[in-house]
């Protein structure tokens, strides 16, 4: 496991001021008089925060420098810059014409127009041909020079015909309504307080023990009556066609329809009872996956079509009117960088599943060619089938691992990956450069590595995370078995002001990006099979969507009936004043109340189960200090040491085995020789509880002791049931026995 990397939030105020200030003044008809611009220009790779705005004199200088930067790649802005210089120096138009030859060659120092600058500039453009954009639009040209979204009249007409976009639909679209809203200072201050009140609730479809609760305006079942609303017609038709051809009966079901409609409200969503595909939940999991993939594709296509429409309209305008049109803010349709959607997934096999389905759900006209699909299959596919077959043939008995373990880990178990996906008019490009991608598929560890590299090497950056508008975190329960702090760090890194310009036309960046408010517009969809305090903290503190929040609250029956042995389960409650004191109180109770009995016992065969590595280390150190007879089986224990420890424990050479939940998650050992079990902390995954207890060697003296506090409510209710958990947490008694 990689250690968590610390991050300092960059100073964004000056960057926001300079971009916001410059766009408002860039096309001012009457510029203020000021000193001549500095002879040294600013490189596009230089952060805009290096430029200050201290007084009116510096305002003029900054404005001139920005014009020089942008004007180096645009005839339009270059002419504006020359006009400003002419007015400042009191020169006439005739004098300007005489100097036009020298002006065209006197580009500002430090401006790189080569391929390495990230901006493509042709020699014909420097000779006087019309260049439409102030800076190369990142939706138009990629590194290979492929014009995937040429903004001509034909493309504009195609969009009008294919998707039937009209002014009325654009005004009523949730996409336009969400991104077009301007936050007030009062709204921003309220969001920063992070005080959420879930005011309304509604029953969850096909989930009798669950309900949805949310902030803001209530959502009713009527919102999901029309699946086509706000969805691109091609996406809907293709989705319908695929489901019909596969014989699926789930298309348009009330559950699937409602979840897509829920995504389309652009609210933050916490779905904490999603039955995963590897625990007999393939139909439900696939249904929800289809809904969020369609939502992601819909968002990308709305974004792309809006940019192309605006390009087409600007092309039709007269050159002398474009400056005035752009300054009006009507054509603000972009972020700092192109990527708008991110999928955070735990394993390569799950990424394979999501990307393959994304390709299937993309309309046929938009996937005439899928680039690098063979490379993707090789890197994200399962292990060699021949080797796998030989391994199975060598075993005459049934598989020793549970079915859910085999379903989850039978494929690619790589947890370190990143993939860019670019959607063009007629193709899907896998492994595209992150800055030219529309969608990024990554694991938390893969992104943490990139973030760490950017901190060490100043030439690298992760600015492609600055404009993520839809974040989808699927199988968060599996991520919690990896390193949850990585996910926290990644989410904190999103929607920051970039350190470089990356060829973006600042004239078309949405105002709330420049104001540093992008995180208030980002939709986060968090999907998991269970919820814990860490997930709740992420959802409440790092998801600040102004649209509001929706989360699922469930009740549980418990898993006690799945215990096959007649074993007494004794629950012992210890008192803790706060969450911060709970770990120390648990250790203190174990040392004073539980361990003395264990130490005096002659019998061995005690399995001591802990749910976290932090607890594993504390108990290990305590047992060493007491010279106890014990062995270790943790997630970092070497295979040779594991084999030795299992033999020692089975033969009675070691009385205690210290075992972690993550070790059980990744290995699922069947441990022999267990006579008694002490559950120091309840497992997060409820299926582990009865799985571990059923490993007991049946005897008359077998017993299981469980420690818990009132802060273990989430874990406790999944195991004993919601009703029993509430009674156990609030009762005056501290001992509870289940048989």
């Amino acid at each position: 496991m990689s250690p968590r990397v610390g991050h300092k939030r960059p100073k964004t105020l000056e960057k926001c001021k300079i971009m916001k200030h410059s766009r408002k003044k860039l096309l001012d008809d009457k510029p203020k008089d000021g000193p001549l611009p500095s002879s040294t220009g600013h490189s596009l790779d230089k952060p805009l925060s290096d430029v200050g705005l201290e007084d009116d004199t510096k305002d003029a200088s900054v404005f001139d420098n920005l014009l020089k930067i942008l004007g180096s790649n645009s005839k339009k802005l270059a002419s504006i810059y020359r006009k400003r210089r002419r007015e400042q120096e009191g020169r006439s138009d005739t004098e300007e014409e005489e100097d036009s030859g020298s002006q065209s060659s006197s580009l500002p120092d430090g401006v790189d127009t080569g391929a390495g600058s990230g901006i493509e500039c042709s020699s014909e453009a420097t000779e006087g041909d019309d260049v439409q954009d102030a800076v190369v639009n990142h939706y138009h040209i990629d590194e290979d020079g492929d014009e995937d979204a040429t903004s001509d009249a034909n493309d504009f007409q195609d969009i009008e015909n294919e998707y039937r976009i009209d002014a009325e639909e654009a005004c009523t679209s949730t996409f336009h309504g969400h991104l077009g809203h301007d936050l007030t200072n009062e709204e921003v201050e309220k969001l920063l307080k992070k005080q959420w009140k879930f005011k309304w609730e509604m029953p969850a479809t096909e989930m009798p023990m669950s309900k949805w609760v949310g902030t803001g305006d209530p959502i009713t079942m009527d919102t999901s009556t029309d699946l086509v609303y706000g969805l691109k017609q091609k996406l809907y038709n293709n989705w319908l066609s695929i489901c019909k051809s596969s014989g699926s009966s789930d298309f348009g079901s009330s559950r699937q329809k409602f979840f897509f409609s829920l995504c389309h409200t652009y609210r933050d969503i916490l779905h904490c009872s999603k039955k995963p595909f590897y625990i007999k939940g393939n139909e439900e999991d696939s249904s929800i996956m289809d809904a969020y993939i369609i939502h992601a594709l819909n968002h990308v296509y709305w974004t792309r079509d809006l940019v192309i429409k605006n390009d087409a309209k600007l092309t039709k305008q007269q050159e002398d009117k474009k400056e005035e049109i752009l300054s009006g803010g009507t054509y603000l349709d972009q972020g700092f960088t192109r990527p708008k959607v991110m999928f955070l997934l735990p394993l390569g096999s799950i990424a394979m599943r999501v990307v393959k389905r994304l390709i299937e759900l993309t309309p046929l006209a938009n996937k005439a060619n899928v680039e690098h699909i063979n490379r993707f299959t090789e890197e994200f596919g399962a292990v060699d089938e021949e080797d796998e077959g030989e391994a199975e043939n060598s075993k005459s008995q049934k598989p020793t691992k549970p079915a859910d373990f085999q379903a989850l880990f039978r494929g690619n178990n790589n947890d370190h990956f990143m993939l860019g996906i670019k959607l063009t008019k007629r193709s899907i490009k896998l492994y595209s450069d992150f800055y030219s991608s529309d969608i990024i598929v990554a694991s938390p560890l893969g992104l943490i590595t990139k973030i760490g590299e950017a901190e060490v090497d100043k030439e690298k950056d992760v600015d492609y995370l600055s404009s993520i508008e839809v974040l989808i975190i699927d199988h968060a329960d599996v991520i919690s078995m990896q390193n949850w702090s990585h996910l926290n760090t990644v989410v904190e890194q999103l929607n920051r002001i970039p350190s470089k310009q990356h060829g973006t036309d600042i004239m078309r960046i949405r105002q709330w990006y420049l104001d540093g408010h992008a995180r208030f517009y980002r939709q986060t969809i968090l999907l998991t099979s269970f919820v814990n305090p860490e997930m709740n903290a992420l959802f409440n503190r790092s998801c600040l969507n102004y649209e509001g929040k929706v989360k699922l609250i469930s009740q549980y029956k418990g898993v006690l009936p799945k215990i096959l042995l007649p074993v007494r389960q004794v629950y012992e409650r210890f008192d803790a004043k706060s969450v911060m004191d709970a770990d120390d109180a648990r250790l203190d109770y174990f040392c004073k109340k539980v361990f003395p009995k264990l130490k005096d016992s002659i019998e061995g065969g005690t399995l001591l189960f802990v749910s976290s590595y932090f607890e594993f280390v504390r108990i290990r150190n305590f047992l060493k200090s007491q010279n106890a007879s014990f062995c270790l089986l943790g997630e970092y224990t070497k295979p040779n040491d594991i084999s030795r420890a299992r033999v020692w424990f089975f033969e009675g050479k070691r009385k205690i085995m210290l075992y972690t939940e993550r070790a059980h998650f990744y290995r699922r050992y069947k441990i022999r020789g267990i006579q008694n079990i002490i559950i120091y902390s309840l497992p997060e995954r409820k299926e582990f509880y009865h799985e571990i207890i059923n490993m007991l060697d049946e005897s008359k003296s077998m017993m299981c002791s469980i420690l818990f506090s009132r802060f273990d409510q989430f874990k406790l209710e999944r195991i004993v049931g919601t009703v029993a958990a509430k009674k156990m947490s609030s009762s005056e008694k501290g001992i509870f026995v289940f048989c």
Side-chain angles (χ1 to χ4, degrees), residues 41-294:
H42 293 273
S43 170
L44 287 177
D45 288 338
K46 186 174 182 180
L48 292 177
S49 60
D50 293 343
V51 185
L53 293 174
E54 298 179 2
D55 51 38
D56 293 341
T57 302
K58 288 190 176 182
D59 280 353
S61 176
V62 167
F63 178 44
D64 291 333
N65 290 336
L66 186 58
L67 278 179
K68 290 167 71 178
I69 295 171
L70 299 179
S72 65
N73 287 282
S74 174
K75 178 182 177 182
K76 173 178 60 182
L77 290 178
S79 64
I80 298 174
Y81 171 64
R82 290 196 297 271
K83 179 180 178 181
R84 179 174 173 81
R85 280 193 56 184
R86 185 173 66 247
E87 291 177 353
Q88 290 176 341
E89 297 173 2
R91 293 161 55 182
S92 65
D93 293 344
T94 305
E95 292 174 333
E96 174 64 20
E97 291 176 0
E98 293 175 355
D99 293 341
S100 61
S102 59
Q103 288 283 356
S104 63
S105 61
S106 59
L107 294 176
D109 297 337
V111 176
D112 183 8
T113 60
S117 65
I119 296 179
E120 298 185 6
C121 182
S122 65
S123 59
E124 289 82 6
T126 61
E127 293 173 5
D129 286 351
D130 183 28
V131 180
Q132 293 180 4
D133 296 327
V135 180
V136 172
N137 191 323
H138 47 244
Y139 279 89
H140 294 172
I141 302 176
D142 63 9
E143 301 89 353
D144 302 325
D146 175 32
E147 298 185 6
D148 58 85
T150 308
S151 56
D152 56 17
N154 292 333
D155 272 354
F156 175 65
Q157 190 62 39
D158 288 342
I159 294 172
E160 290 287 344
N161 294 335
E162 292 175 3
Y163 301 101
R164 295 189 287 278
I165 299 176
D166 54 30
E168 182 178 355
E169 181 182 357
C171 292
T172 58
S173 168
T174 309
F175 170 86
H176 291 279
H178 174 65
L179 300 183
H181 177 72
D182 292 326
L183 287 173
T184 63
N185 292 333
E186 291 75 13
E187 289 176 315
V188 172
E189 291 177 0
K190 185 177 180 180
L191 290 170
L192 290 174
K193 291 179 180 178
K194 304 176 183 179
Q195 297 177 353
W196 316 109
K197 294 182 179 180
F198 293 88
K199 302 178 180 178
W200 56 266
E201 63 181 52
M202 64 176 294
T205 306
E206 301 178 25
M207 301 177 71
M209 298 188 67
S210 301
K211 63 181 179 180
W212 291 100
V213 299
T215 66
D217 297 331
I219 295 177
T220 63
M221 291 302 296
D222 296 337
T223 61
S224 60
T225 56
D226 186 8
L227 184 62
V228 189
Y229 174 74
L231 177 60
K232 292 289 184 181
Q233 190 65 40
K234 271 196 170 183
L235 283 172
Y236 174 79
N237 292 341
N238 187 59
W239 192 9
L240 177 61
S241 175
I242 290 174
C243 290
K244 285 183 177 180
S245 62
S246 63
S248 174
S249 60
D250 195 48
F251 179 78
S253 68
S254 55
R255 176 176 57 195
Q256 186 181 58
K257 187 185 298 184
F258 176 77
F259 190 75
F260 171 78
S261 299
L262 200 61
C263 293
H264 200 55
T265 63
Y266 280 95
R267 303 190 189 201
D268 289 333
I269 301 171
L270 173 58
H271 190 322
C272 57
S273 293
K274 189 190 72 152
K275 196 170 184 179
F277 68 92
Y278 53 88
I279 306 183
K280 299 180 181 180
N282 187 62
E283 183 177 349
E284 178 182 341
D285 200 341
S286 298
S287 174
I288 292 176
M289 182 177 68
D290 277 8
Y292 72 64
I293 289 177
I294 285 290

Side-chain angles (χ1 to χ4, degrees), residues 553-606:
I553 295 180
S554 300
Q555 293 187 340
Y556 301 90
K557 295 180 180 179
V559 296
L560 297 182
K562 295 184 179 182
I563 296 176
L564 305 178
L565 302 175
V567 57
R568 295 178 72 248
Q569 304 155 62
V570 181
Y571 283 77
E572 303 179 35
R573 191 184 68 205
F574 62 90
D575 296 325
K577 296 180 180 179
S578 66
V579 177
M580 300 297 294
D581 297 330
D583 289 331
D584 292 335
R586 189 187 305 271
L587 180 63
D588 185 67
Y589 186 89
F590 174 80
C591 296
K592 295 180 179 179
K593 301 289 185 179
V594 179
F595 183 73
K597 300 176 185 177
L598 185 63
K599 188 176 183 180
D600 295 338
S601 175
I602 301 176
E603 296 182 359
T606 300

Side-chain angles (χ1 to χ4, degrees), residues 710-730:
R710 61 189 179 94
F711 299 108
D712 294 323
Q713 184 69 23
F714 287 135
K715 298 178 180 180
L716 188 63
E717 68 174 351
R718 289 195 288 269
I719 293 171
V720 303
T722 302
V723 176
K726 290 181 179 179
K727 292 181 179 179
M728 294 167 65
S729 298
S730 58

Side-chain angles (χ1 to χ4, degrees), residues 345-353 376 380-381 412-415 417:
L345 307 169
L347 299 173
S349 58
I350 296 177
M352 177 82 167
R353 186 169 178 264
F376 173 74
F380 286 82
N412 188 319
N413 300 329
N414 179 28
D415 62 352
F417 58 87

